Each structure stands twice: as structure tokens, then as C-alpha cells.
Amino acid sequence: MSELIFDKSRSGRRCTAIPKCGLDEAAIPPEFKRSEKASLPEVAEVDLTRHYVNLSRKAYGVDNGFYPLGSCTMKYNPKVDEDAAELRGFNDIHPLQPSYTVQGALYAMDTLTKYLCEITGMDALTLQPAAGAHGEFTALSLIKAYLLDHGETKRDKLIVPDSAHGTNPASAAMCGFTVINVPSTPEGLVDIELLKNAVGDDTAALMLTNPNTAGKFDINIKEIADIIHGAGGLLYYDGANLNAVMGIVRPGDMGFDAVHLNLHKTFATPHGGGGPGSGPVGCKSILAPYLPGYTVKKDADGKFVFDRAEKTIGMMRSFYGNFLVCIKALSYIMTLGAEGIREAAENAVLNANYLMEKLKDTYDVPFKGTCMHEFVMCLEGLKKETGITASDVAKELIDMGIHPPTMYFPLIVHEALMLEPTETESRETLDNAVEALKKIYVMAHETPDILKAAPKTTPIGRPDETTAVRHPVLRA
Ligand SMILES: *Cc1c(COP(=O)(O)O)cnc(C)c1O
């Protein structure tokens, strides 16, 4: 275990030496004074720098190497987008500044809103939500407000396919809906017959991501939309998987009424580590009167001003959303352009299919045929043969310098490993991962003990995963 910065502390060591100012100390009333000195580490600048640089080397991110974490779109984020977010005109402003002093920032918000509406095929959009799940909750709140406003008080059921991301049923429950689960077909698509049985006059909406978390595009989407709309419900699109289809198809054209996007997956903000993120929600005009918070519009004089929707559901968070994340998304969209956005999606799908094709003769890929941006492998057979689990494979990948894929998700596949390479990875990187995974397959049969002992290259190896999440011990 490495030393903490507190262990390196030596009384009197400093990073700076400030000259005495020569004035009398101001008298601070005793009630505002500490009774004991704050316990702060005292270290020299060089030790401080080394401490944090060495810690940062133990972290692993997209800037270190391959990170095929399925459902998370851990793609490389161009640095030019960070540069845009660092511009003083975006960075050194305050949310309480009068709008006439921040016209550029409002113009940026308005432009991003329009681009995201265009990309999703929606009529209106809010930039307020701070994450994907927060966007889901926002969109479901819009749907709820709409239904109540139209006297549809009995519509309290939300239909969620069993391949959904875990946040979907959670958001539905938080919004006060009852979740109706619809099982998938063996191909990983929505089972139309079971869907027909599930809808009724109590259906509020369907929550769907397309492509879904199995990496499959549901080609029956028009029929699905007709079934839901025919029963008087609405359609909500979980757009966290938009990386596979942006610039190619639009949720609005598929029949969806509302959508959230994960700017911290698809649009140039790193994902993970607790944020900041952004989950804008777009909607068709029927839901626009309920949009939360502040939106931007142009007044009669052509100046940008903040606006609130007529029947707004209220604020979903403070102020205007994670503004700088929005700037990165705007920069990303503007640097790629319409063609670049489409090309990114095409390459994401191409890379996932390349990886799947190279691996499918070694590992079992349960959902056959072309995948979208990600695919799932099932290691149940390997576990039966060798005792090696999906988790063991993931741990050995760490020793090989590759971040593990998503494990044990989606829940409909046992011993699942879910890989999403993204468009930014080169053929060499993908070939290297194929080689690593094939080597691990051989090791599972020949030297399983090595896999059971992995990882050996990390500060800690195999914590109790549940306890590590629920009660993390972050100090030695
Ligand atoms: C990541 C993800 C979400 C949730 O997004 P957060 O920003 O993590 O809340 C929802 N749905 C799908 C399909 C996702 O991949």
C-alpha cells in the first residue's frame, strides 16, 4: 500500500514561503477561531507533485489505453473540445450574470439545442439534466405531466424490455410508475406478441434503447411504435447508445416522443469517475410545454434571453445544466460536421463487428448476426469446461494492459462480457485485444491458476466487490 500524503507530512515543510506582511494581525473574534489547528499535510512542492503524479499513473482511462467497456462508450475525447470549454468567455462567467452580458454563452446553448434536435429528430430540448439517469427521470416527468394534463390519470404502467439498462426501471419507479417487464426474443429483440399482451389503457409509455444493450437494432421499431401509440401511450428513447446511429437514423423518425442523450458518452466528455456529465432531453412538440428549467430563445430584438415553458415541471437542477460539458458537445459536433458525426457512428459499428467476427469462433456470441456498436459474449460454456469465469478473464485483461469489458450485463446473458470498442480505436488496438482474449482462452484450458491469481499488476487484486462498492475504504 502506498503512503498517503499525510504520511509524507513533516512539520514545517512548505510549497511556498510568504514574506511577513508587516501589519498587525486582524483580531478575529474567538467564536470564529478553531480550537485546534487544521490537520493538513505539510510537504514540499516536489514531494507533492511526485505524490499526485504517481497516483495518477495508477489510474486507468481512455488516455492510457483500450477501454472497451460495453454500454459506456468510453471513446477518446478530442482535446480541442477541452480547449473550447477552457475559453475564458465560457469559463469565467457566472450563472447569475444578466443575460445581455453573456450573449455568446446563450448563443452556444441555443446552437447546441438546435443541433441536438436535428440529430435526434425532436422539436424542443432541455440541457438541464446532469446525467443519463437524470435525463430519463426528466423525460418521464414530462410524460407524466402530459398525461395528467390530458386527464389520463389511469396510465401508470411503464413498459421496459428486459434488455434495458438498469437505470430505466429505476427512473420509472422513481417517477411513480409501475414497471412492466417485457422479455426479449432469442435474437435479443422486443417480443412483439408479449408486447401486445402487455399494453392496455393503463400504458403510460414504453422505454426503449435502440440499438439495445445487446448491441442489436430492433428492426420492428415502427411496429412497436404503432402498438404503443395505438394503445394511447408514448415512446421514450434511451439515447445513451446513440453513438451507433447518430447521423444515420433519428429517434424522432422511429416514432419516439422523448429522448435523452448522454453527452458524456457520445459527445466528447469523458465518462466515469462521478462526472460532470450531461443528459439533455429532447421531445416532440406535444411535450414541449412541460420542459424544465430555463431554455434559451431570441426576443423581438434578436437578443438571446432565458425562457420558461408555460406548464414547466420546474427545475431539474440548479441553473442551466453542466454548461461546459455542453460546450464540449457543441465543439465536437461543429468540428466533425454532419458527415463526421455519421462517419463516427459507422466506424463505431464497423469496429464492433470487426472485433466480434475475430472472436466469435473462440468465444460464444449468443446474439447472432451483425451487431451495432457493441456485442455480448457468453462465457457460461467456458466456465463449465474450465472453471474460468467472465470475471477471471476480465482480471487477466487488466494484467495485459486492457480495461475489462462490462461484466455480467445484460442480465439476460449468463457469464456475460460486453465489448464496445468505439470508433476511435485503430485496427492494431483491436487486433491486440483479439490476441489477448484468444491467449486467455488458451490459458483457461492450460494454466487456469494464472487467471485465478490475476490481476498481479494493480495495487489491489480482488476486493469483495459488493463491500468495495457499498463501503469503500479509501484511506489506508
Ligand atoms: C449509461 C447508460 C445510461 C445511464 O447514464 P448515466 O449517465 O450513467 O446515468 C442509461 N441507459 C443506457 C443504455 C446507458 O448505457
Side-chain angles (χ1 to χ4, degrees):
M1 192 56 77
S2 46
E3 259 186 315
L4 300 179
I5 189 77
F6 288 93
D7 301 327
K8 293 180 178 154
S9 176
R10 295 293 176 272
S11 178
R13 276 199 197 148
R14 291 282 180 277
C15 289
T16 46
I18 302 173
K20 286 245 178 302
C21 75
L23 297 176
D24 290 340
E25 237 181 71
I28 297 169
E31 66 266 32
F32 296 131
K33 278 192 165 173
R34 292 176 178 281
S35 52
E36 280 169 45
K37 267 192 161 181
S39 150
L40 298 173
E42 299 178 68
V43 284
E45 182 176 319
V46 58
D47 297 321
L48 186 69
T49 302
R50 285 179 187 160
H51 181 75
Y52 286 109
V53 168
N54 285 331
L55 275 183
S56 76
R57 284 191 184 167
K58 289 182 184 161
Y60 188 95
V62 273
D63 288 357
N64 293 94
F66 191 36
Y67 208 133
L69 193 67
S71 192
C72 289
T73 314
M74 305 297 283
K75 61 189 189 184
Y76 175 78
N77 300 291
K79 298 296 173 247
V80 68
D81 305 323
E82 297 285 342
D83 290 347
E86 276 170 23
L87 292 173
R88 285 197 57 197
F90 293 138
N91 221 330
D92 287 356
I93 52 178
H94 193 278
L96 290 176
Q97 251 172 269
S99 59
Y100 71 85
T101 65
V102 283
Q103 285 292 299
L106 269 61
Y107 179 36
M109 287 174 71
D110 187 57
T111 309
L112 178 64
T113 301
K114 292 198 168 111
Y115 284 160
L116 294 179
C117 280
E118 178 63 30
I119 290 171
T120 54
M122 293 289 152
D123 301 321
L125 184 127
T126 169
L127 297 172
Q128 245 202 351
H134 197 198
E136 291 170 23
F137 181 75
T138 303
L140 295 181
S141 302
L142 294 181
I143 290 174
K144 193 168 187 174
Y146 168 86
L147 291 173
L148 292 181
D149 203 23
H150 287 75
E152 297 275 13
T153 48
K154 287 207 204 70
R155 294 191 180 271
D156 61 350
K157 305 272 186 306
L158 262 186
I159 301 177
V160 183
D162 63 359
S163 61
H165 194 268
T167 49
N168 288 188
S171 301
M174 270 191 70
C175 226
F177 290 107
T178 307
V179 177
I180 306 285
N181 221 288
V182 185
S184 303
T185 63
E187 294 78 40
L189 305 180
V190 173
D191 191 315
I192 298 282
E193 289 313 310
L194 294 179
L195 179 69
K196 281 185 186 159
N197 293 342
V199 297
D201 54 11
D202 58 355
T203 302
L206 170 80
M207 290 185 93
L208 192 76
T209 179
N210 198 19
N212 63 19
T213 52
K216 287 288 168 186
F217 186 85
D218 208 316
I219 47 168
N220 304 319
I221 187 58
K222 271 294 198 193
E223 194 182 349
I224 293 170
D226 288 345
I227 293 171
I228 300 294
H229 281 150
L234 298 182
L235 278 100
Y236 166 71
Y237 184 90
D238 175 338
N241 293 339
L242 200 77
N243 210 47
V245 293
M246 57 181 181
I248 302 170
V249 291
R250 310 191 306 169
D253 300 335
M254 292 185 221
F256 287 91
D257 303 294
V259 48
H260 94 259
L261 301 175
N262 276 46
L263 299 189
H264 52 289
K265 282 182 184 170
T266 321
F267 295 101
T269 281
H271 175 215
S278 176
V281 167
C283 64
K284 290 281 176 70
S285 53
I286 53 164
L287 295 173
Y290 312 96
L291 278 174
Y294 296 101
T295 43
V296 174
K297 71 165 189 186
K298 260 191 185 167
D299 69 7
D301 304 333
K303 292 265 179 285
F304 290 102
V305 289
F306 287 114
D307 190 27
R308 292 198 88 171
E310 183 195 332
K311 299 174 177 177
T312 179
I313 56 169
M315 298 288 274
M316 293 309 291
R317 55 158 284 150
S318 55
F319 299 114
Y320 320 114
N322 274 330
F323 175 67
L324 295 177
V325 176
C326 294
I327 294 300
K328 285 190 264 187
L330 179 62
S331 163
Y332 183 73
I333 294 170
M334 292 182 85
T335 47
L336 286 185
E339 281 156 36
I341 290 283
R342 185 190 174 105
E343 210 178 314
E346 286 170 348
N347 285 335
V349 173
L350 180 65
N351 274 359
N353 278 285
Y354 180 82
L355 203 58
M356 182 180 73
E357 283 299 317
K358 292 266 174 181
L359 287 169
K360 73 171 195 215
D361 295 332
T362 309
Y363 290 92
D364 176 27
V365 175
F367 304 120
K368 306 288 176 227
T370 317
C371 66
M372 296 300 288
H373 59 306
E374 61 194 2
F375 65 97
V376 184
M377 306 196 304
C378 170
L379 275 65
E380 209 174 15
L382 183 73
K383 185 179 167 189
K384 280 202 188 111
E385 271 170 50
T386 64
I388 291 299
T389 63
S391 172
D392 297 328
V393 173
K395 300 288 184 194
E396 179 63 24
L397 278 173
I398 297 175
D399 281 348
M400 294 183 170
I402 294 175
H403 193 283
T406 294
M407 299 183 292
Y408 301 103
F409 184 80
L411 301 175
I412 46 178
V413 177
H414 294 146
E415 292 298 325
L417 284 183
M418 182 180 180
L419 293 97
E420 178 179 5
T422 85
E423 70 278 13
T424 49
E425 299 307 330
S426 68
R427 186 171 176 169
E428 293 72 34
T429 302
L430 300 181
D431 286 338
N432 180 43
V434 169
E435 209 175 291
L437 278 159
K438 285 190 169 172
K439 189 170 168 205
I440 292 174
Y441 187 85
V442 174
M443 289 166 79
H445 291 85
E446 292 174 0
T447 52
D449 292 350
I450 297 184
L451 301 189
K452 288 283 176 202
K456 289 188 283 299
T457 53
T458 50
I460 50 169
R462 295 193 180 213
D464 172 333
E465 280 161 15
T466 313
T467 315
V469 172
R470 303 274 147 120
H471 308 286
V473 181
L474 301 177
R475 304 178 60 163

